[in-house]
Amino acid sequence: MARNWMDYKTDAWVQWCPACGNFGILTALQRALAELDLPNEKVSIVSGIGCSSRIPYYIKTSNVHTLHGRPIPVAQGIKLANPDQVVIVASGDGDLLGIGAGHFVAIGRRNIDIKVILHDNAVYGLTKGQAAPTLPLWFKTKALGQPNIQSAVNPLLLAFASGYTFIARAYAYHIDQLKEMIEAAIRHKGTSLIDVLQPCPTYNDIMTKEWYEKRIYYLDKEDPSWNPNIEKPEDVKKIPKIVEKMMEWEPRIPLGVFYRNTMVEPLDVRIEKIMPGYLQNPPARRSIDIGGRALTNPFVAFKDRIVTT
Amino acid sequence: MSENVDLDVMIGGPQGGGIESSGQMALRVFMIKGYDVFGIREYHSDIIGAHSYYNVRVKAQKPRSVRLPVDALLALDAETIFTHYNDLAPESYLIYGTESLNTRIDGIAPMDHDTKERVKEDLKQKGVEPVASEVVKYLASTGVKTVGLPFKDLLKVTAERLKTTVVSVSKTVNTMSITALAAMLGIDLGAVEKSIQLYFAGRKGIVDSNVEAARTTYEYIKDNYGVSKPLPDGPHRNKVRMIATGNDIVAMAKIVGGVTLETYYPITPSQDEAFYMETHRVFDLDEEASRSLGQSKTGTLVLQAEDELAALNMAIGGALAGARVATTTSGPGLSLMNEAISFAVITETPVVISVWMRTGPSTGIATRQGQQDLLHAMFAGHGEALPKIVLASGDHLEAYYDTIKALNWAEKFQVPVIHLLDKYMAASMMSFDMEDVDPYKVPLERGKLVPNPDPKTYKRYELTDDGISPRAPLGTVQYIVSSLEHNEYGVVTEDPVIREKMSLKRLKKMETIEREIPESEKAVLYGDPDSRITIVSWGSTKGPILDAMGSLAKEGLRLRFLQIKTFLPFPTSTVKKIIESSDDVIAVENNAFGQMVMAVRMFTGLNINKRIAKLNSRSLMEQEIYNGVKKALSMKEGLVVVSDGA
Ligand SMILES: Cc1ncc(C[n+]2csc(CCOP(=O)(O)OP(=O)(O)O)c2C)c(N)n1
Ligand code: SF4
Ligand SMILES: [Mg+2]
C-alpha cells in the first residue's frame, strides 16, 4: 500500500508562530515523500539551528538536528557512507548562507546527491529577528536596531556558481508547486537547491505575504516554452537566459525550476571510478573484520614501505 | 660487533634540494646493512630553498631518538656547514661539496638573519672567518675528518661513462654524497646500489644514472682516502622489513583497523597521513579475508573537506550512518573542531580524531615540534563535552596499536576519541618487522552496534546500567539524532527530570570507560621499578627518555619512567602511587606551562616540582634528557630548559 502524507507526521507539537511559512514547507515535504512512497527510515532530513531547523522533529524519517551551520557536512557524511539513503538538508538562510556558507559552496563542487531546502525568511527567526544574508540592503525589519547596511546574497547565483545541478525557487504558501519542486529535486541525481521564500510574520514585517504575492510569478506559466534542462552540449546556450532569470528580483520575482543539468557526474559515480566497489560496498556497509579479525596486514597492503635487507 | 654500533648521521641542505631522497636513501643503506634506523626530518615552513636536515640514528636494535653531536655531517650546501659546525663529534666526518668552499655567510640569502648574526658572533669568538673554507679548516683542526667532493668532476666522469650530458646526471649529487658517506663508514658499494634500486624502484633511467654516480664516487673515495674498516653486518640482514613515518603508520592502522571513511582538511603535520590513505584507498586483503569475502580488494574512502568544521561534521555524519570513521588534523584544526566534538558527545557518535601537534600558539611554527595541545584536547568542546577519550602515543609502534584501540573504544563507548600525536612522530621514520605491526593482535570491536534493530522497541538513547545504548545506523530504523538535549528516543526535550537523567547517563558512561580501559593502557612504567627517581612524561618524548635512561644506567644512575598514555580517563591511582613512592620526580614536556603537570595536579592533587621543557620547537634529543636529568637532580625544584638543535 502506498504511503500517505500522514505517515510522515510525528506527534510532536509544532513550535512555529501562527502563519509561519515553515508550515507550508513542512506540509509540502511530507506530501512529496508520500508521493514518492519513500520508506521512513530511508530518508534523512538534516537541519542546522534556527526556527526552520526544528523540522526534523515533525517529519517521521531518520533525521539529524545538527549544529548551527553544519547540516550540509553532516548530510554529506551520511550520503558518502550510505549512498542509498535519501538525504535532504532543510535549514535557515542564516544557517546555510551565513555561518555555513563555506559548506553551501563546497557541496556544489561535489554534485553529491543531496537536496538543500533553504528556508529563506531573510531574518534570523530563532534569535529574534536579526538580518539574514538574504535581507536586501537598507531594509529595516522590525527587530533591527538600524537599517541593514549589508547587501543580500543571491542564493540561486551562488548555487549556480558553486556547481549545483538543480536550482529552483518556491514560495512557502504555494504548497502544491513547492511539493512538485521537491519531488523533482529528489528525482534529480545531484546537488539541488530549492530556495523557498518563506514569510516570517513575526520578524519580517517588510517581506510579507502581500509583499511577495505582488511580485512572484512562475517561469513556466509566463513562458510555456521555458525549459531549464541542460541535457546535451548545445543546451549551454540557454545559460545566459537562465542567469538573467536568476538575477531578476524587483519588481518581479520569478519562481520555478531555473536550472537542471544532467550532464555533470554525481559524486558517487566519481568515487566509483577511483575506488571500484564503492557503490556495492559503501563505507556504512562494507565489512571491516571477520569475527574481529582485521581484513589485511600491513605487509600485504602497504608494499611500498617494504625494504628487503 | 654490530651491537656496539651507534651512529648518528646528519644530512643538511636546501629544502627541495634532494634532502628527502638523501635521507630516505641513507635510511635504506643502513637497513640493507642489517641495522635498525630512526630518522627525523627538520624542515622549514617555506617550501623551497630554506635549510632543512635529516638526522639518522643507526643501531643494532631499535634506536628511538637522535642525538648530538653527530658522527657524520653530510653538507649539501654551505648553509649546512654554518648551521651545524658545532654539532660534530670529535673524529666525526664532514662531507661537503668543494663548490661551497668560497661561500661567505652573508651571501646565503635564505639563512635567517638572527641565526647568521649568532653564528658570526660564535665564529668571531673562535677566531674563524665566516667563510665556508675557513669553517672547514677549523673543523679539521679540531679532529673532524673533512671530505671534500668535487661534484663537477664527478658528474663529468659519470656522464662520460653513461655517454650522456652532465645536465642529465646533475641530480645525482645526493647519491654521490651518500656514497661518500658509505665509503668512509666502510659500507660496501653493493648496499648503496641496492638502496638506489629500492628507492627509485621501476624508474630504470634514474636507477642507472644514480648507480653510475655511486660507482664513480666510491672509486674517488677509495683513491683519495683509502679503504675504511668495514662496518660489520647488523642482525637484520635477509629479512623483509618496513620503514615508515608516524604519518604512514597511523594511516596503515586506520586502514587495518577498519576505517571506511576518513575526512580531512590539509594541515601540517597531519596531511601526509591522509595522503597515504588516499594512495592506498584500494588495498589488498590478506588470504583469509580474500577467501572469506570472495574478493581480493576493498576500499577506504578518503575525502578532502572544505575546512575542519566540515571534516569532523562529515565524519560524524558517516558514523551516524554506520561507517567506522576518522579524521586527522593539528592544533589549529582542533580549534575549529571544538563545537563538533561537543556535538559528537551529545549524539554519542564514535569518531577518532588524530591530532598531530605542532608549535603554537596560533600558527606558531607550522612544521616544528610541540606538545601544546594536551589541555586543549582534554577540554575541547563547550558545555561539558564529556565523556570523551584523550589518548597520547609515545612512538610509531604504539601509535599503530593505539589507533586501532582508539577506533574500538570510540565505537564501544560511543564517544569521540582524540588521539594525540605530534610532528616528531609525523616526520620521523623507523624500521620495523612484521611482528611489530601485528594486525590481528587487537581484535576489532564495535560495541553495541545493532545492524537490525526492532522498530517497535528501539530506543537510540536507552538508559542502561553502563550508560551505553544500542546504536543502530541511520537508515535501518526510523529515529532522530539531536544536538539538543533529548529523551531516550532522541527527541528534543527541556524536561528537567530527563535532562538530569541524560547528564547522569554521560557521567555513568565516563565511569564505564574508566573501569573498562585497563590501568595498563592508561599508564606504563619503564626502567627500574624500584628506583625512587621518576621521570613522568607523555607522547613522543618517550624515545629520547628511554635512550637517555640507557646511557644514565650505564653510569649507575637507574631511573624509572612513567608514561601517561590516557588523560581521559586519567590513571589517577597509578600516578599517585608512583609519585608518592619517589624521592625525585621530573616532568618532561615540549611545552612551557607544564600542561601534564597541571593535569596530574588536577586529578591527584600532587605537584611535580621539577620540569624539563624543550621550547625551541626542535625535536627532543637523547643528550638533552641525559643532561637535563642530571641538572634537575642537582636542583631542589624548578625548570630546566633544554635547547639543542638548529
Ligand atoms: C555557533 C552558534 N552561533 C550562534 C548561534 C545562535 N543562533 C541560533 S539560530 C541562529 C540564526 C538562525 O537563523 P536562520 O538560520 O535564518 O534560521 P531561522 O530561525 O530564520 O529559521 C543563531 C545565530 C548558535 N546556535 N550557534
Ligand atoms: S519567528 Fe518567524 S520563522 Fe520563526 S517560527 Fe516565528 S514566524 Fe516562523
Ligand atoms: Mg532565517
Side-chain angles (χ1 to χ4, degrees):
Chain A
M1 198 191 75
R3 290 172 181 82
N4 171 294
W5 72 276
M6 296 285 287
D7 294 325
Y8 299 91
K9 251 172 75 92
T10 66
D11 46 18
W13 168 58
V14 182
Q15 286 186 21
W16 288 318
C17 309
C20 172
N22 282 327
F23 285 102
I25 303 175
L26 172 61
T27 309
L29 193 45
Q30 286 165 331
R31 290 196 179 160
L33 298 177
E35 199 82 33
L36 296 168
D37 198 22
L38 297 170
N40 300 61
E41 71 281 3
K42 298 290 175 210
V43 177
S44 290
I45 296 168
V46 186
S47 70
I49 300 293
C51 295
S52 44
S53 288
R54 292 185 79 95
I55 201 164
Y57 301 108
Y58 312 141
I59 301 184
K60 201 171 179 178
T61 45
S62 291
N63 304 337
V64 190
H65 189 190
T66 72
L67 296 165
H68 191 32
R70 314 299 156 218
I72 288 181
V74 174
Q76 289 175 100
I78 296 169
K79 189 75 186 178
L80 286 168
N82 180 4
D84 298 338
Q85 193 74 353
V86 174
V87 182
I88 299 167
V89 169
S91 214
D93 40 18
D95 192 279
L96 294 173
L97 300 171
I99 192 168
H103 313 309
F104 185 89
V105 170
I107 190 177
R109 296 172 44 219
R110 303 184 179 116
N111 197 29
I112 186 171
D113 188 16
I114 287 178
K115 323 300 153 192
V116 179
I117 298 178
L118 172 66
H119 297 237
D120 186 351
N121 58 3
V123 290
Y124 283 16
L126 193 69
T127 45
K128 300 197 170 74
Q130 299 83 357
T134 46
L135 186 70
L137 180 66
W138 298 123
F139 278 34
K140 184 179 179 301
T141 46
K142 72 183 190 199
L144 295 191
Q146 59 183 25
N148 183 22
I149 56 168
Q150 308 186 62
S151 307
V153 65
N154 181 325
L156 307 185
L157 284 176
L158 184 58
F160 180 75
S162 304
Y164 287 59
T165 49
F166 180 101
I167 299 172
R169 188 193 278 131
Y171 175 54
Y173 293 147
H174 287 179
I175 294 173
D176 287 342
Q177 293 88 330
L178 172 55
K179 186 207 78 170
E180 304 261 304
M181 280 186 233
I182 295 173
E183 277 183 57
I186 293 177
R187 286 205 181 93
H188 173 76
K189 201 164 152 42
T191 307
S192 308
L193 171 72
I194 305 176
D195 174 22
V196 189
L197 303 175
Q198 176 229 320
C200 162
T202 304
Y203 291 115
N204 196 331
D205 55 344
I206 299 177
M207 301 159 89
T208 58
K209 181 170 188 293
E210 295 67 37
W211 189 91
Y212 279 122
E213 288 176 11
K214 247 194 271 169
R215 290 168 172 79
I216 52 174
Y217 74 95
Y218 284 89
L219 290 165
D220 54 352
K221 282 224 186 83
E222 176 133 318
D223 172 9
S225 74
W226 177 256
N227 178 348
N229 297 339
I230 311 285
E231 295 161 329
K232 46 189 186 306
E234 310 86 89
D235 291 341
V236 296
K237 281 192 230 119
K238 297 176 184 170
I239 285 176
K241 183 78 194 161
I242 288 172
V243 170
E244 189 189 317
K245 283 290 163 194
M246 286 179 176
M247 290 180 70
E248 186 177 339
W249 181 259
E250 279 282 11
R252 299 180 74 224
I253 303 175
L255 303 177
V257 177
F258 288 70
Y259 178 64
R260 185 198 283 114
N261 188 334
T262 46
M263 297 200 316
V264 183
E265 273 173 326
L267 189 66
D268 56 359
V269 175
R270 302 179 197 176
I271 294 173
E272 181 68 24
K273 280 190 184 165
I274 61 158
M275 199 177 118
Y278 165 74
L279 288 170
Q280 210 191 334
N281 287 308
R285 286 202 302 271
R286 87 142 161 93
S287 359
I288 66 163
D289 62 338
I290 296 160
R293 189 183 190 275
L295 300 182
T296 194
N297 183 318
F299 279 74
V300 170
F302 311 111
K303 295 207 174 73
D304 55 344
R305 293 295 184 261
I306 287 180
V307 176
T308 312
T309 64
Chain B
M1 279 286 283
S2 67
E3 276 63 45
N4 300 329
V5 170
D6 185 354
L7 286 172
D8 201 308
V9 175
M10 191 186 275
I11 305 161
Q15 198 136 299
I19 286 296
E20 183 61 26
S21 56
S22 307
Q24 296 279 359
M25 250 178 341
L27 288 162
R28 281 164 176 75
V29 168
F30 290 112
M31 279 182 78
I32 288 163
K33 281 303 286 178
Y35 287 90
D36 260 331
V37 293
F38 180 87
I40 188 154
R41 190 161 82 98
E42 282 291 351
Y43 60 108
H44 213 271
S45 11
D46 292 343
I47 299 298
I48 216 112
H51 180 64
S52 160
Y53 61 95
Y54 237 93
N55 204 333
V56 175
R57 183 87 174 262
V58 181
K59 272 185 172 185
Q61 300 299 344
K62 296 215 166 26
R64 302 159 177 276
S65 64
V66 297
R67 60 141 198 239
L68 292 180
V70 296
D71 304 292
L73 174 63
L74 230 155
L76 298 182
D77 64 359
E79 185 174 354
T80 303
I81 301 176
F82 286 115
T83 310
H84 297 288
Y85 64 91
N86 278 331
D87 295 338
L88 282 153
E91 315 252 317
S92 60
Y93 298 101
L94 169 70
I95 296 165
Y96 61 94
T98 47
E99 284 81 7
S100 352
L101 285 177
N102 294 328
T103 310
R104 301 192 71 87
I105 193 166
D106 284 326
I108 304 175
M111 196 169 180
D112 208 281
H113 174 76
D114 295 326
T115 316
K116 264 186 203 166
E117 292 307 307
R118 204 174 44 248
V119 168
K120 276 199 274 190
E121 185 53 40
D122 182 62
L123 287 174
K124 202 162 129 195
Q125 281 183 12
K126 292 186 162 81
V128 179
E129 221 194 306
V131 53
S133 54
E134 291 304 308
V135 181
V136 172
K137 252 188 236 157
Y138 158 75
L139 286 172
S141 75
T142 64
V144 170
K145 289 169 237 165
T146 59
V147 179
L149 294 176
F151 286 128
K152 269 195 200 127
D153 299 344
L154 296 173
L155 285 172
K156 227 170 100 196
V157 176
T158 307
E160 274 165 14
R161 289 181 178 178
L162 287 166
K163 300 193 176 38
T164 179
T165 60
V166 170
V167 177
S168 67
V169 295
S170 64
K171 283 221 166 118
T172 62
V173 292
N174 305 317
T175 299
M176 291 178 168
S177 309
I178 296 291
T179 310
L181 172 74
M184 296 306 290
L185 292 174
I187 295 172
D188 50 289
L189 181 61
V192 178
E193 289 185 7
K194 196 168 168 196
S195 95
I196 292 169
Q197 271 145 8
L198 261 176
Y199 188 65
F200 296 110
R203 289 178 281 175
K204 191 174 176 304
I206 299 178
V207 169
D208 289 349
S209 55
N210 280 282
V211 165
E212 200 53 57
R215 287 179 187 160
T216 309
T217 313
Y218 210 86
E219 280 167 28
Y220 174 83
I221 295 288
K222 223 168 59 190
D223 294 348
N224 291 276
Y225 297 87
V227 183
S228 302
K229 192 167 119 262
L231 185 76
D233 278 355
H236 307 285
R237 289 215 69 160
N238 304 317
K239 280 212 249 175
V240 179
R241 314 193 72 208
M242 257 198 192
I243 182 157
T245 64
N247 282 150
D248 294 343
I249 214 162
V250 168
M252 291 177 189
K254 282 184 175 175
I255 288 176
V256 167
V259 169
T260 57
L261 171 65
E262 161 124 330
T263 57
Y264 74 102
Y265 183 73
I267 183 168
T268 305
S270 78
Q271 75 273 54
D272 288 350
E273 181 213 306
F275 173 80
Y276 196 73
M277 290 182 77
E278 281 179 354
T279 50
H280 292 272
R281 65 192 176 277
V282 178
F283 56 92
D284 288 336
L285 301 178
D286 70 8
E287 263 177 50
E288 192 165 329
S290 299
R291 207 175 323 115
S292 139
L293 298 177
Q295 63 194 71
S296 62
K297 290 177 192 296
T298 191
T300 291
L301 177 59
V302 185
L303 193 85
Q304 179 181 335
E306 56 272 27
D307 53 35
E308 288 87 349
L309 307 166
L312 183 50
N313 280 292
M314 271 183 193
I316 289 171
L320 291 173
R324 181 167 262 210
V325 301
T327 182
T328 188
T329 189
S330 182
L334 181 63
S335 289
L336 291 191
M337 289 180 180
N338 264 251
E339 194 187 17
I341 288 171
S342 201
F343 177 48
V345 167
I346 201 167
T347 56
E348 308 197 28
T349 307
V351 55
V352 170
I353 307 162
S354 311
V355 178
W356 299 88
M357 297 177 288
R358 62 187 210 185
T359 313
S362 192
T363 312
I365 310 182
T367 57
R368 309 281 184 181
Q369 166 66 349
Q371 290 186 306
Q372 299 164 294
D373 289 302
L374 174 59
L375 295 178
H376 181 194
M378 291 172 69
F379 293 96
H382 62 283
E384 206 169 41
L386 293 168
K388 63 172 172 282
I389 293 173
V390 174
L391 162 72
S393 298
D395 59 36
H396 291 54
L397 302 181
E398 253 183 52
Y400 173 82
Y401 291 113
D402 286 349
T403 299
I404 301 173
K405 285 175 200 163
L407 292 163
N408 283 345
W409 291 343
E411 288 210 73
K412 204 166 152 194
F413 304 117
Q414 301 177 17
V415 290
V417 178
I418 301 178
H419 185 192
L420 291 175
L421 302 140
D422 59 22
K423 185 262 161 179
Y424 181 94
M425 274 188 260
S428 60
M429 307 197 85
M430 70 174 276
S431 52
F432 53 90
D433 295 302
M434 208 165 317
E435 53 275 18
D436 292 325
V437 287
D438 181 355
Y440 319 115
K441 189 164 119 182
V442 181
L444 306 191
E445 291 175 80
R446 309 201 69 179
K448 296 187 187 177
L449 184 70
V450 281
N452 300 304
D454 177 358
K456 290 203 185 60
T457 55
Y458 182 67
K459 291 194 258 185
R460 170 64 187 95
Y461 299 101
E462 189 178 332
L463 296 170
T464 57
D465 288 342
D466 58 4
I468 302 163
S469 317
R471 182 168 77 99
L474 276 181
T476 56
V477 61
Q478 186 272 323
Y479 69 93
I480 183 158
V481 174
S482 178
S483 130
L484 276 63
E485 190 60 281
H486 42 256
N487 63 18
E488 288 183 270
Y489 295 94
V491 174
V492 60
T493 182
E494 293 189 12
D495 179 80
V497 175
I498 295 179
R499 156 65 193 181
E500 187 178 288
K501 282 191 176 146
M502 286 298 164
S503 288
L504 291 172
K505 178 186 201 283
R506 290 187 282 269
L507 180 62
K508 201 184 282 174
K509 203 156 86 164
M510 192 73 223
E511 288 162 9
T512 303
I513 293 170
E514 259 157 35
R515 202 176 49 242
E516 294 203 2
I517 296 183
E519 199 68 11
S520 58
E521 301 280 0
K522 296 178 189 159
V524 185
L525 191 66
Y526 294 90
D528 178 357
D530 299 322
S531 173
R532 295 191 63 88
I533 306 172
T534 307
I535 294 176
V536 184
S537 191
W538 64 284
S540 72
T541 56
K542 176 185 172 187
I545 290 173
L546 288 179
D547 281 348
M549 278 166 66
S551 311
L552 289 164
K554 279 189 203 142
E555 298 176 11
L557 184 59
R558 302 182 67 81
L559 310 177
R560 57 184 181 175
F561 159 42
L562 183 67
Q563 181 200 1
I564 301 181
K565 288 206 60 182
T566 61
F567 285 85
L568 288 173
F570 194 82
T572 309
S573 61
T574 302
V575 174
K576 230 177 159 153
K577 196 178 77 200
I578 295 291
I579 293 182
E580 282 173 343
S581 61
S582 303
D583 299 328
D584 259 302
V585 184
I586 306 165
V588 177
E589 298 186 72
N590 288 310
N591 63 57
F593 288 77
Q595 299 192 17
M596 175 198 69
V597 174
M598 290 190 211
V600 166
R601 208 181 299 141
M602 180 168 91
F603 284 104
T604 66
L606 300 173
N607 193 27
I608 300 177
N609 63 9
K610 294 182 180 182
R611 296 206 282 126
I612 296 175
K614 176 139 184 173
L615 307 174
N616 69 0
S617 80
R618 301 307 198 261
S619 306
L620 186 66
M621 288 180 272
E622 174 184 332
Q623 81 283 353
E624 295 182 287
I625 297 297
Y626 174 89
N627 296 327
V629 164
K630 287 191 168 178
K631 184 143 181 226
L633 288 177
S634 72
M635 310 185 326
K636 243 185 98 211
E637 58 175 45
L639 175 66
V640 179
V641 177
V642 293
S643 314
D644 289 352

